[in-house]
Amino acid sequence: MIRVLIADDHPVVRQGLRTFLDLHDDITVVGEAGDGAQAVELVAELAPDVLLLDLKMPVLDGLGALERLSGGPTRVVVLTSVSDPADVGPAMRAGAAGFLYKDVDPPALVQAVRAVHGGQVLLAPEAAEAMLATAADVAAPAPVPLTEREREVLALIAAGRSNREIARSLAVAEKTVKTHVSNVLMKLGVQDRTQAALYAVRHGLA
Amino acid sequence: MIRVLIADDHPVVRQGLRTFLDLHDDITVVGEAGDGAQAVELVAELAPDVLLLDLKMPVLDGLGALERLSGGPTRVVVLTSVSDPADVGPAMRAGAAGFLYKDVDPPALVQAVRAVHGGQVLLAPEAAEAMLATAADVAAPAPVPLTEREREVLALIAAGRSNREIARSLAVAEKTVKTHVSNVLMKLGVQDRTQAALYAVRHGLA
DNA sequence: TCGGCACTTCGTCCTAGGACCATAGAGGGG
DNA sequence: CCCCTCTATGGTCCTAGGACGAAGTGCCGA
Protein backbone atom coordinates (compact mmCIF):
# COMPACT_ATOMS: atom_id res chain seq x y z
CA MET A 1 0.00 0.00 0.00
CA ILE A 2 1.37 3.33 -1.04
CA ARG A 3 0.63 6.07 1.50
CA VAL A 4 0.14 9.43 -0.20
CA LEU A 5 -0.02 12.97 1.15
CA ILE A 6 -1.53 15.74 -0.97
CA ALA A 7 -0.34 19.34 -0.70
CA ASP A 8 -2.26 21.93 -2.68
CA ASP A 9 -3.83 25.21 -1.74
CA HIS A 10 -7.10 24.45 -3.49
CA PRO A 11 -9.44 22.21 -1.49
CA VAL A 12 -11.21 21.21 -4.69
CA VAL A 13 -8.01 19.92 -6.22
CA ARG A 14 -7.16 18.03 -3.05
CA GLN A 15 -10.59 16.47 -2.92
CA GLY A 16 -10.42 15.47 -6.57
CA LEU A 17 -7.03 13.88 -6.22
CA ARG A 18 -7.97 12.13 -2.99
CA THR A 19 -11.12 10.66 -4.46
CA PHE A 20 -9.43 9.49 -7.58
CA LEU A 21 -6.34 8.07 -5.92
CA ASP A 22 -8.31 6.27 -3.24
CA LEU A 23 -10.06 4.30 -5.94
CA HIS A 24 -6.89 2.31 -6.36
CA ASP A 25 -6.31 -0.66 -4.10
CA ASP A 26 -2.63 -0.07 -3.70
CA ILE A 27 -2.86 3.64 -2.89
CA THR A 28 -4.29 5.39 0.14
CA VAL A 29 -4.34 9.11 0.77
CA VAL A 30 -3.30 9.64 4.37
CA GLY A 31 -3.60 13.40 4.58
CA GLU A 32 -3.90 16.78 2.96
CA ALA A 33 -2.03 20.03 3.41
CA GLY A 34 -3.13 23.48 2.28
CA ASP A 35 0.28 25.11 2.35
CA GLY A 36 3.95 24.23 2.37
CA ALA A 37 4.48 24.58 6.09
CA GLN A 38 1.61 22.25 6.81
CA ALA A 39 2.95 19.83 4.25
CA VAL A 40 6.30 19.69 6.01
CA GLU A 41 4.59 19.10 9.34
CA LEU A 42 2.36 16.37 8.02
CA VAL A 43 5.23 14.61 6.31
CA ALA A 44 7.03 14.50 9.64
CA GLU A 45 3.91 13.27 11.41
CA LEU A 46 2.56 10.79 8.90
CA ALA A 47 5.71 9.72 7.05
CA PRO A 48 3.87 9.14 3.79
CA ASP A 49 5.58 7.22 0.99
CA VAL A 50 4.76 9.84 -1.60
CA LEU A 51 3.94 13.53 -1.41
CA LEU A 52 2.07 15.20 -4.25
CA LEU A 53 3.21 18.78 -4.02
CA ASP A 54 1.93 21.90 -5.74
CA LEU A 55 4.61 24.52 -6.23
CA LYS A 56 2.41 27.58 -5.85
CA MET A 57 1.25 27.64 -2.24
CA PRO A 58 0.88 30.23 0.51
CA VAL A 59 3.07 30.52 3.63
CA LEU A 60 5.82 28.25 2.32
CA ASP A 61 5.89 27.48 -1.37
CA GLY A 62 6.51 24.10 -2.90
CA LEU A 63 10.17 24.66 -3.51
CA GLY A 64 10.75 25.73 0.06
CA ALA A 65 8.89 22.70 1.33
CA LEU A 66 10.89 20.49 -1.02
CA GLU A 67 14.14 21.79 0.38
CA ARG A 68 13.04 21.11 3.93
CA LEU A 69 12.01 17.60 3.00
CA SER A 70 15.05 16.62 0.99
CA GLY A 71 16.95 13.72 2.43
CA GLY A 72 13.86 12.28 4.09
CA PRO A 73 12.32 8.97 3.07
CA THR A 74 9.23 10.56 1.51
CA ARG A 75 9.36 10.72 -2.28
CA VAL A 76 8.05 14.00 -3.65
CA VAL A 77 6.17 14.43 -6.90
CA VAL A 78 5.78 18.02 -7.96
CA LEU A 79 2.35 18.54 -9.44
CA THR A 80 2.03 22.01 -10.79
CA SER A 81 -0.45 23.95 -12.86
CA VAL A 82 1.73 26.65 -14.35
CA SER A 83 4.33 25.31 -16.71
CA ASP A 84 7.36 27.48 -16.21
CA PRO A 85 10.38 25.55 -17.50
CA ALA A 86 12.55 27.44 -15.03
CA ASP A 87 10.84 25.65 -12.13
CA VAL A 88 11.96 22.21 -13.18
CA GLY A 89 15.70 22.41 -12.54
CA PRO A 90 15.49 23.86 -9.03
CA ALA A 91 12.78 21.43 -8.05
CA MET A 92 14.73 18.40 -9.25
CA ARG A 93 17.87 19.66 -7.61
CA ALA A 94 15.92 20.14 -4.41
CA GLY A 95 15.22 16.44 -4.47
CA ALA A 96 11.94 15.99 -6.31
CA ALA A 97 11.39 12.47 -7.65
CA GLY A 98 8.76 13.50 -10.15
CA PHE A 99 7.55 16.54 -12.02
CA LEU A 100 4.10 16.53 -13.58
CA TYR A 101 1.58 19.07 -14.75
CA LYS A 102 -1.98 19.08 -13.53
CA ASP A 103 -3.30 18.38 -17.00
CA VAL A 104 -1.79 14.92 -16.63
CA ASP A 105 -3.96 12.01 -17.61
CA PRO A 106 -5.28 10.67 -14.27
CA PRO A 107 -4.22 7.05 -14.86
CA ALA A 108 -0.79 8.39 -15.71
CA LEU A 109 -0.71 10.12 -12.36
CA VAL A 110 -1.35 6.82 -10.66
CA GLN A 111 1.44 5.20 -12.63
CA ALA A 112 3.64 8.10 -11.66
CA VAL A 113 2.92 7.58 -7.98
CA ARG A 114 3.77 3.92 -8.34
CA ALA A 115 6.93 4.54 -10.36
CA VAL A 116 8.17 7.14 -7.93
CA HIS A 117 7.37 4.91 -4.99
CA GLY A 118 9.41 2.26 -6.76
CA GLY A 119 12.43 4.55 -6.73
CA GLN A 120 12.32 5.84 -10.27
CA VAL A 121 12.26 9.46 -11.31
CA LEU A 122 9.40 10.50 -13.49
CA LEU A 123 8.98 13.64 -15.54
CA ALA A 124 6.33 15.11 -17.76
CA PRO A 125 7.73 15.36 -21.29
CA GLU A 126 7.80 19.16 -21.03
CA ALA A 127 9.73 18.94 -17.79
CA ALA A 128 12.26 16.56 -19.31
CA GLU A 129 12.71 18.98 -22.17
CA ALA A 130 13.24 21.83 -19.75
CA MET A 131 15.98 19.85 -18.01
CA LEU A 132 17.65 19.07 -21.30
CA ALA A 133 17.48 22.70 -22.30
CA THR A 134 19.43 23.79 -19.26
CA ALA A 135 21.80 20.86 -19.68
CA ALA A 136 22.39 21.79 -23.31
CA ASP A 137 24.04 25.06 -22.37
CA VAL A 138 26.41 22.98 -20.34
CA ALA A 139 27.61 20.94 -23.24
CA ALA A 140 28.66 24.08 -25.08
CA PRO A 141 29.72 26.56 -22.39
CA ALA A 142 30.79 29.02 -25.07
CA PRO A 143 34.29 27.59 -25.56
CA VAL A 144 36.18 30.88 -25.59
CA PRO A 145 37.50 31.18 -29.13
CA LEU A 146 41.25 31.23 -29.70
CA THR A 147 42.72 33.81 -32.06
CA GLU A 148 44.70 32.79 -35.10
CA ARG A 149 48.01 33.42 -33.36
CA GLU A 150 46.94 31.51 -30.29
CA ARG A 151 45.99 28.50 -32.40
CA GLU A 152 49.45 28.58 -33.99
CA VAL A 153 51.07 28.67 -30.59
CA LEU A 154 48.85 25.87 -29.34
CA ALA A 155 49.77 23.71 -32.32
CA LEU A 156 53.46 24.22 -31.57
CA ILE A 157 52.91 23.43 -27.90
CA ALA A 158 51.20 20.24 -28.99
CA ALA A 159 54.24 19.51 -31.15
CA GLY A 160 56.32 19.56 -27.98
CA ARG A 161 58.17 22.81 -28.68
CA SER A 162 59.53 24.97 -25.87
CA ASN A 163 58.66 28.64 -25.58
CA ARG A 164 62.06 29.57 -27.01
CA GLU A 165 61.59 27.31 -30.01
CA ILE A 166 58.10 28.60 -30.62
CA ALA A 167 59.45 32.15 -30.44
CA ARG A 168 62.02 31.33 -33.11
CA SER A 169 59.41 29.65 -35.31
CA LEU A 170 57.11 32.62 -35.16
CA ALA A 171 59.89 35.23 -35.20
CA VAL A 172 58.76 36.98 -32.05
CA ALA A 173 60.19 37.41 -28.56
CA GLU A 174 59.95 34.55 -26.12
CA LYS A 175 58.03 36.96 -23.90
CA THR A 176 55.34 37.24 -26.54
CA VAL A 177 55.05 33.50 -26.74
CA LYS A 178 54.60 33.35 -22.98
CA THR A 179 51.80 35.85 -23.24
CA HIS A 180 50.08 33.80 -25.91
CA VAL A 181 50.56 30.62 -23.93
CA SER A 182 49.06 32.26 -20.86
CA ASN A 183 46.04 33.37 -22.86
CA VAL A 184 45.60 29.95 -24.40
CA LEU A 185 45.74 28.27 -21.01
CA MET A 186 43.20 30.69 -19.62
CA LYS A 187 40.87 30.35 -22.57
CA LEU A 188 41.00 26.57 -22.51
CA GLY A 189 40.48 26.60 -18.76
CA VAL A 190 43.54 24.47 -18.33
CA GLN A 191 46.46 24.62 -15.90
CA ASP A 192 49.58 24.02 -17.96
CA ARG A 193 50.95 23.46 -21.44
CA THR A 194 50.75 19.71 -21.07
CA GLN A 195 47.02 19.76 -20.62
CA ALA A 196 46.75 22.31 -23.43
CA ALA A 197 48.62 19.90 -25.70
CA LEU A 198 46.23 17.10 -24.76
CA TYR A 199 43.28 19.36 -25.42
CA ALA A 200 44.70 20.22 -28.83
CA VAL A 201 45.16 16.57 -29.74
CA ARG A 202 41.73 15.57 -28.49
CA HIS A 203 40.05 18.35 -30.42
CA GLY A 204 42.01 17.85 -33.57
CA LEU A 205 43.73 21.23 -33.36
CA ALA A 206 47.19 19.74 -33.50
CA MET B 1 -2.18 -3.53 -25.23
CA ILE B 2 1.33 -2.09 -25.25
CA ARG B 3 3.45 -3.52 -28.07
CA VAL B 4 7.10 -3.82 -27.07
CA LEU B 5 10.26 -4.46 -29.07
CA ILE B 6 13.41 -5.60 -27.29
CA ALA B 7 16.86 -4.70 -28.57
CA ASP B 8 19.81 -6.28 -26.80
CA ASP B 9 22.82 -8.18 -28.02
CA HIS B 10 22.43 -10.95 -25.46
CA PRO B 11 19.82 -13.55 -26.36
CA VAL B 12 19.52 -14.51 -22.71
CA VAL B 13 18.61 -10.99 -21.72
CA ARG B 14 16.09 -10.75 -24.53
CA GLN B 15 14.52 -14.05 -23.53
CA GLY B 16 14.34 -13.04 -19.90
CA LEU B 17 12.73 -9.72 -20.68
CA ARG B 18 10.31 -11.24 -23.15
CA THR B 19 9.17 -13.93 -20.76
CA PHE B 20 8.73 -11.52 -17.92
CA LEU B 21 6.99 -8.80 -19.89
CA ASP B 22 4.63 -11.22 -21.61
CA LEU B 23 3.30 -12.25 -18.21
CA HIS B 24 1.45 -8.95 -18.11
CA ASP B 25 -1.94 -8.72 -19.74
CA ASP B 26 -1.43 -5.25 -21.11
CA ILE B 27 2.01 -5.87 -22.60
CA THR B 28 3.07 -7.98 -25.54
CA VAL B 29 6.55 -8.38 -26.92
CA VAL B 30 6.29 -8.16 -30.69
CA GLY B 31 9.90 -8.70 -31.62
CA GLU B 32 13.57 -8.84 -30.72
CA ALA B 33 16.64 -7.27 -32.26
CA GLY B 34 20.25 -8.28 -31.64
CA ASP B 35 21.85 -5.08 -32.84
CA GLY B 36 21.01 -1.44 -33.47
CA ALA B 37 20.52 -1.74 -37.21
CA GLN B 38 18.08 -4.58 -36.76
CA ALA B 39 16.28 -2.57 -34.11
CA VAL B 40 15.80 0.32 -36.51
CA GLU B 41 14.48 -2.04 -39.18
CA LEU B 42 12.09 -3.79 -36.84
CA VAL B 43 10.75 -0.54 -35.49
CA ALA B 44 9.93 0.52 -39.03
CA GLU B 45 8.33 -2.83 -39.76
CA LEU B 46 6.45 -3.49 -36.54
CA ALA B 47 5.81 0.03 -35.28
CA PRO B 48 5.97 -1.02 -31.63
CA ASP B 49 4.71 1.34 -28.96
CA VAL B 50 7.83 0.98 -26.85
CA LEU B 51 11.38 -0.06 -27.63
CA LEU B 52 13.62 -1.37 -24.87
CA LEU B 53 17.09 -0.49 -26.08
CA ASP B 54 20.48 -1.55 -24.81
CA LEU B 55 23.17 1.03 -25.50
CA LYS B 56 26.05 -1.36 -26.02
CA MET B 57 25.33 -3.28 -29.20
CA PRO B 58 27.25 -4.38 -32.28
CA VAL B 59 26.86 -2.94 -35.80
CA LEU B 60 24.96 0.15 -34.69
CA ASP B 61 25.01 1.08 -31.03
CA GLY B 62 22.04 2.21 -29.02
CA LEU B 63 22.76 5.89 -29.37
CA GLY B 64 23.01 5.62 -33.12
CA ALA B 65 19.76 3.70 -33.27
CA LEU B 66 18.13 6.26 -31.02
CA GLU B 67 19.12 9.07 -33.34
CA ARG B 68 17.65 7.27 -36.34
CA LEU B 69 14.44 6.65 -34.48
CA SER B 70 13.93 10.09 -33.04
CA GLY B 71 10.80 11.80 -34.24
CA GLY B 72 9.01 8.52 -34.79
CA PRO B 73 5.99 7.39 -32.79
CA THR B 74 7.87 4.63 -30.96
CA ARG B 75 8.86 5.57 -27.42
CA VAL B 76 12.34 4.42 -26.52
CA VAL B 77 13.47 3.26 -23.08
CA VAL B 78 17.20 2.91 -22.76
CA LEU B 79 18.01 -0.12 -20.68
CA THR B 80 21.70 -0.34 -20.08
CA SER B 81 24.03 -2.40 -17.97
CA VAL B 82 26.99 -0.13 -17.60
CA SER B 83 26.24 3.00 -15.67
CA ASP B 84 28.26 5.73 -17.28
CA PRO B 85 26.67 9.04 -16.29
CA ALA B 86 27.97 10.55 -19.52
CA ASP B 87 25.58 8.36 -21.53
CA VAL B 88 22.46 9.86 -20.04
CA GLY B 89 22.55 13.34 -21.52
CA PRO B 90 23.19 12.32 -25.12
CA ALA B 91 20.57 9.60 -24.93
CA MET B 92 17.90 11.91 -23.59
CA ARG B 93 18.80 14.57 -26.12
CA ALA B 94 18.54 11.95 -28.84
CA GLY B 95 14.95 11.47 -27.83
CA ALA B 96 14.88 8.68 -25.25
CA ALA B 97 11.75 8.61 -23.14
CA GLY B 98 13.29 6.53 -20.39
CA PHE B 99 16.65 5.60 -18.97
CA LEU B 100 16.96 2.58 -16.72
CA TYR B 101 19.68 0.24 -15.59
CA LYS B 102 19.41 -3.48 -15.95
CA ASP B 103 19.50 -3.98 -12.20
CA VAL B 104 16.04 -2.43 -12.17
CA ASP B 105 13.39 -4.15 -10.11
CA PRO B 106 11.37 -6.11 -12.73
CA PRO B 107 7.97 -4.75 -11.63
CA ALA B 108 9.47 -1.27 -11.87
CA LEU B 109 10.43 -2.04 -15.45
CA VAL B 110 6.83 -2.87 -16.22
CA GLN B 111 5.69 0.36 -14.63
CA ALA B 112 8.30 2.16 -16.66
CA VAL B 113 7.00 0.68 -19.89
CA ARG B 114 3.50 1.79 -18.97
CA ALA B 115 4.56 5.27 -17.87
CA VAL B 116 6.59 5.82 -21.01
CA HIS B 117 3.78 4.52 -23.16
CA GLY B 118 1.57 7.04 -21.37
CA GLY B 119 3.82 9.85 -22.54
CA GLN B 120 5.84 10.43 -19.42
CA VAL B 121 9.61 10.42 -19.19
CA LEU B 122 11.10 8.03 -16.69
CA LEU B 123 14.61 7.90 -15.32
CA ALA B 124 16.50 5.71 -12.92
CA PRO B 125 17.54 7.80 -9.93
CA GLU B 126 21.19 7.62 -11.00
CA ALA B 127 20.25 8.84 -14.48
CA ALA B 128 18.28 11.75 -13.07
CA GLU B 129 21.28 12.64 -10.95
CA ALA B 130 23.53 12.52 -13.98
CA MET B 131 21.26 14.92 -15.81
CA LEU B 132 21.22 17.27 -12.87
CA ALA B 133 24.98 17.08 -12.59
CA THR B 134 25.46 18.28 -16.13
CA ALA B 135 22.78 20.92 -15.60
CA ALA B 136 24.54 22.09 -12.46
CA ASP B 137 27.68 23.06 -14.30
CA VAL B 138 25.50 25.35 -16.33
CA ALA B 139 24.41 27.30 -13.34
CA ALA B 140 28.00 27.92 -12.26
CA PRO B 141 30.17 27.78 -15.40
CA ALA B 142 33.38 28.25 -13.43
CA PRO B 143 33.31 32.05 -13.37
CA VAL B 144 36.81 32.91 -14.54
CA PRO B 145 38.38 34.79 -11.63
CA LEU B 146 39.31 38.43 -12.08
CA THR B 147 42.63 39.68 -10.77
CA GLU B 148 42.84 42.44 -8.20
CA ARG B 149 43.58 45.08 -10.81
CA GLU B 150 40.78 43.88 -13.03
CA ARG B 151 38.32 44.15 -10.18
CA GLU B 152 39.45 47.74 -9.58
CA VAL B 153 38.94 48.56 -13.22
CA LEU B 154 35.56 46.87 -13.24
CA ALA B 155 34.48 48.87 -10.22
CA LEU B 156 35.42 52.10 -11.99
CA ILE B 157 33.62 51.01 -15.15
CA ALA B 158 30.57 50.36 -13.01
CA ALA B 159 30.99 53.88 -11.62
CA GLY B 160 30.60 55.16 -15.15
CA ARG B 161 34.21 56.29 -15.66
CA SER B 162 35.76 56.50 -19.12
CA ASN B 163 39.01 54.73 -19.95
CA ARG B 164 40.88 58.02 -19.68
CA GLU B 165 39.42 58.75 -16.24
CA ILE B 166 40.19 55.26 -15.02
CA ALA B 167 43.74 55.63 -16.27
CA ARG B 168 44.12 58.82 -14.25
CA SER B 169 42.63 57.22 -11.15
CA LEU B 170 45.00 54.28 -11.30
CA ALA B 171 47.98 56.29 -12.52
CA VAL B 172 48.60 54.14 -15.58
CA ALA B 173 48.36 54.69 -19.33
CA GLU B 174 44.98 54.66 -20.99
CA LYS B 175 46.32 51.79 -23.09
CA THR B 176 46.79 49.73 -19.97
CA VAL B 177 43.25 50.39 -18.91
CA LYS B 178 42.04 49.24 -22.31
CA THR B 179 43.96 46.01 -21.88
CA HIS B 180 42.41 45.42 -18.47
CA VAL B 181 38.97 46.24 -19.80
CA SER B 182 39.44 43.78 -22.65
CA ASN B 183 40.46 41.07 -20.23
CA VAL B 184 37.54 41.78 -17.93
CA LEU B 185 35.10 41.64 -20.82
CA MET B 186 36.54 38.35 -21.98
CA LYS B 187 36.55 36.83 -18.52
CA LEU B 188 32.99 37.87 -17.83
CA GLY B 189 31.95 36.60 -21.24
CA VAL B 190 30.38 39.94 -21.97
CA GLN B 191 30.43 42.18 -25.05
CA ASP B 192 30.98 45.70 -23.76
CA ARG B 193 31.61 47.84 -20.70
CA THR B 194 27.91 48.48 -20.22
CA GLN B 195 27.17 44.81 -19.71
CA ALA B 196 30.25 44.52 -17.53
CA ALA B 197 28.91 47.33 -15.36
CA LEU B 198 25.57 45.56 -15.06
CA TYR B 199 27.34 42.35 -14.15
CA ALA B 200 29.30 44.18 -11.49
CA VAL B 201 26.18 45.69 -9.99
CA ARG B 202 24.28 42.43 -10.08
CA HIS B 203 27.09 40.55 -8.42
CA GLY B 204 27.82 43.17 -5.83
CA LEU B 205 31.28 43.96 -7.17
CA ALA B 206 30.52 47.63 -7.60
C1' DT C 1 75.84 9.66 -0.71
C1' DC C 2 72.97 13.44 0.19
C1' DG C 3 71.50 18.08 1.10
C1' DG C 4 71.32 22.33 -0.77
C1' DC C 5 72.05 25.86 -4.11
C1' DA C 6 72.00 27.66 -8.73
C1' DC C 7 69.90 27.73 -13.18
C1' DT C 8 66.37 27.04 -16.49
C1' DT C 9 61.68 26.66 -17.80
C1' DC C 10 57.24 27.69 -17.14
C1' DG C 11 53.57 30.56 -15.91
C1' DT C 12 51.14 35.01 -13.97
C1' DC C 13 50.18 39.81 -13.48
C1' DC C 14 50.79 44.49 -14.72
C1' DT C 15 52.32 47.51 -17.87
C1' DA C 16 51.99 49.62 -22.54
C1' DG C 17 52.68 50.83 -27.62
C1' DG C 18 51.11 50.08 -32.60
C1' DA C 19 47.78 48.86 -35.95
C1' DC C 20 43.16 48.40 -36.76
C1' DC C 21 37.96 48.29 -36.76
C1' DA C 22 33.25 49.87 -35.30
C1' DT C 23 30.05 53.16 -33.70
C1' DA C 24 28.16 57.42 -32.44
C1' DG C 25 27.91 62.19 -32.39
C1' DA C 26 29.03 66.78 -34.31
C1' DG C 27 29.56 69.88 -37.64
C1' DG C 28 29.60 71.42 -42.39
C1' DG C 29 28.06 71.43 -47.24
C1' DG C 30 24.52 70.72 -50.67
C1' DC D 1 16.74 70.23 -43.75
C1' DC D 2 19.24 66.20 -44.62
C1' DC D 3 23.13 63.70 -45.58
C1' DC D 4 27.92 63.01 -45.18
C1' DT D 5 32.32 63.10 -43.44
C1' DC D 6 35.38 63.51 -39.57
C1' DT D 7 36.68 62.61 -34.96
C1' DA D 8 36.35 60.70 -30.30
C1' DT D 9 35.65 56.61 -27.76
C1' DG D 10 35.59 51.93 -27.18
C1' DG D 11 37.47 47.59 -28.21
C1' DT D 12 40.68 43.74 -30.35
C1' DC D 13 44.93 41.52 -31.47
C1' DC D 14 49.81 41.24 -31.42
C1' DT D 15 53.76 42.60 -29.48
C1' DA D 16 56.87 42.74 -25.41
C1' DG D 17 59.42 44.12 -21.00
C1' DG D 18 59.73 43.79 -15.71
C1' DA D 19 58.84 41.55 -11.46
C1' DC D 20 57.72 37.41 -9.33
C1' DG D 21 56.77 32.61 -7.92
C1' DA D 22 56.69 27.41 -8.60
C1' DA D 23 59.13 23.27 -10.26
C1' DG D 24 62.47 20.53 -12.01
C1' DT D 25 67.53 19.56 -12.89
C1' DG D 26 71.95 19.14 -12.11
C1' DC D 27 76.10 19.98 -9.88
C1' DC D 28 79.05 20.62 -5.93
C1' DG D 29 80.74 20.37 -1.58
C1' DA D 30 80.41 18.24 3.09
Side-chain angles (χ1 to χ4, degrees), chain B residues 18-42:
Chain B
R18 158 164 244 150
T19 307
F20 175 71
L21 290 174
D22 270 338
L23 288 179
H24 300 82
D25 296 348
D26 58 338
I27 296 179
T28 178
V29 175
V30 296
E32 298 177 17
D35 63 62
Q38 210 184 340
V40 174
E41 273 172 44
L42 287 178

Side-chain angles (χ1 to χ4, degrees), chain B residues 53-56 78-84 87 99-103:
Chain B
L53 182 70
D54 190 7
L55 281 186
K56 192 178 57 59
V78 170
L79 189 62
T80 188
S81 42
V82 293
S83 90
D84 184 347
D87 289 337
F99 200 105
L100 297 174
Y101 297 102
K102 284 188 183 160
D103 63 0

Side-chain angles (χ1 to χ4, degrees), chain A residues 75 88-89 92-93 99-100 104-105 108 111-112 114-116 118-125 128 131-139 141 144 183 186-187, chain B residues 75 88-89 92-93 99-100 104-105 108 111-112 114-116 118-125 128 131-139 141 144 183 186-187:
Chain A
R75 308 274 294 166
V88 181
M92 295 311 290
R93 249 187 291 286
F99 200 106
L100 296 174
V104 68
D105 187 37
Q111 276 168 10
R114 291 184 185 133
V116 164
Q120 310 304 319
V121 169
L122 194 136
L123 306 172
M131 278 189 64
L132 283 175
T134 54
D137 301 345
V138 129
V144 185
N183 289 334
M186 181 182 55
K187 286 184 178 179
Chain B
R75 309 272 295 165
V88 181
M92 296 310 291
R93 250 186 292 285
F99 200 105
L100 297 174
V104 68
D105 188 37
Q111 276 167 11
R114 291 184 184 133
V116 165
Q120 310 304 319
V121 169
L122 194 136
L123 305 172
M131 279 189 62
L132 283 175
T134 54
D137 299 347
V138 127
V144 186
N183 289 334
M186 181 180 58
K187 286 184 177 179

Side-chain angles (χ1 to χ4, degrees), chain B residues 3-73:
Chain B
R3 303 175 63 252
V4 176
L5 177 68
I6 299 171
D8 193 296
D9 58 337
H10 292 99
V12 186
V13 174
R14 294 203 300 271
Q15 185 56 50
L17 287 172
R18 158 164 244 150
T19 307
F20 175 71
L21 290 174
D22 270 338
L23 288 179
H24 300 82
D25 296 348
D26 58 338
I27 296 179
T28 178
V29 175
V30 296
E32 298 177 17
D35 63 62
Q38 210 184 340
V40 174
E41 273 172 44
L42 287 178
V43 165
E45 193 182 319
L46 303 172
D49 297 306
V50 174
L51 166 64
L52 291 183
L53 182 70
D54 190 7
L55 281 186
K56 192 178 57 59
M57 284 190 298
V59 187
L60 177 65
D61 72 359
L63 200 55
L66 203 42
E67 277 158 11
R68 279 167 186 70
L69 294 172
S70 78

